[in-house]
Amino acid sequence: MRILVAEDGEDIKTIYYMSLVERGHKIILTSDGEECLMVYRQKLQEQQQQQQQRYHDKDTSSSPFDVVILDYKMPKKDGLQAAKEILDINPEQRIIFASAYVKETLVESVKELKRVVELMQKPFSMSALVDTVENKEAYEGLKSLMTTARDIVKDSDNNPSSDQIRELFEGLRKVQKFKGF
């Protein structure tokens, strides 16, 4: 898998890298949301140029990364801001937030992104990270939760109730099979 990581903690970045490379994944590490966006756009442009050369101008767009892992709190641009811009570019991009504040992250992702993204509660084991990254079914399961999240945002004027957040939180836990938090 091709994975882009935005994490401001140098030690954490190193552990992510070692754990994921050991499993055969290709990793690019960045230190904040701004750098992450720059790399994402650059890789997307490179991929599009390669595809145009290969397929003679046919539109074969896809994601430059299989997964983008974003620390929720970072300098310059936080994970939420980076996710918003990435999803504006590519609404199908799989994003995993690493956060000590999973409920806050869930509420903000629903409000700001109008969708649910995968969450991992810090601190987590590297085996949990690898399991989450390699669990492609979780992303498919998120699609039904995304519809629910959009309905909640629409019906609640962008201010979901605690019951609605609890419902999304439990749905996310089921989709991720309790590995992330």
Side-chain angles (χ1 to χ4, degrees):
M1 292 180 101
R2 300 159 299 163
I3 303 168
L4 176 60
V5 175
E7 168 62 57
D8 60 330
E10 290 301 318
D11 293 342
I12 296 171
K13 256 193 320 201
T14 301
I15 293 169
Y16 285 7
Y17 184 83
M18 291 176 5
S19 299
L20 293 166
V21 166
E22 186 177 284
R23 295 284 298 189
H25 302 297
K26 295 177 181 160
I27 314 300
I28 295 179
L29 300 173
T30 62
S31 297
D32 57 61
E34 203 169 90
E35 183 183 5
C36 177
L37 285 164
M38 183 187 73
V39 169
Y40 191 89
R41 288 183 181 112
Q42 176 187 358
K43 292 297 179 186
L44 182 63
Q45 184 177 27
E46 288 171 9
Q47 179 179 331
Q48 289 170 340
Q49 288 171 347
Q50 289 172 353
Q51 288 174 341
Q52 285 178 351
Q53 289 172 354
R54 254 186 259 142
Y55 300 106
H56 306 292
D57 297 325
K58 290 182 183 175
D59 182 22
T60 56
S61 55
S62 63
S63 299
F65 297 96
D66 298 298
V67 179
V68 177
I69 301 171
L70 299 170
D71 185 8
Y72 185 65
K73 302 253 185 208
M74 293 183 288
K76 296 184 183 176
K77 281 192 185 204
D78 65 24
L80 189 64
Q81 293 166 317
K84 188 172 178 65
E85 290 188 42
I86 288 170
L87 292 169
D88 284 346
I89 296 167
N90 180 4
E92 299 301 313
Q93 179 61 62
R94 181 179 177 204
I95 292 179
I96 300 172
F97 276 122
S99 175
Y101 317 95
V102 291
K103 286 192 178 177
E104 175 187 322
T105 305
L106 178 61
V107 169
E108 290 302 311
S109 72
V110 169
K111 283 182 177 181
E112 297 295 321
L113 305 176
K114 312 291 189 256
R115 65 189 296 154
V116 177
V117 295
E118 292 173 80
L119 299 172
M120 295 203 61
Q121 184 166 11
K122 286 182 171 183
F124 48 81
S125 70
M126 288 305 102
S127 63
L129 174 66
V130 170
D131 288 348
T132 300
V133 166
E134 292 178 352
N135 183 359
K136 294 177 185 175
E137 291 115 32
Y139 183 66
E140 293 303 314
L142 277 179
K143 290 181 181 174
S144 66
L145 280 177
M146 285 184 216
T147 301
T148 304
R150 286 186 189 108
D151 291 344
I152 287 172
V153 168
K154 187 171 54 175
D155 294 342
S156 64
D157 293 328
N158 215 22
N159 195 16
S161 71
S162 56
D163 287 341
Q164 290 169 319
I165 292 302
R166 190 175 315 111
E167 177 187 339
L168 286 173
F169 194 70
E170 289 305 315
L172 186 58
R173 289 183 74 176
K174 286 177 187 168
V175 165
Q176 285 187 248
K177 299 182 177 146
F178 304 101
K179 291 185 174 136
F181 45 93

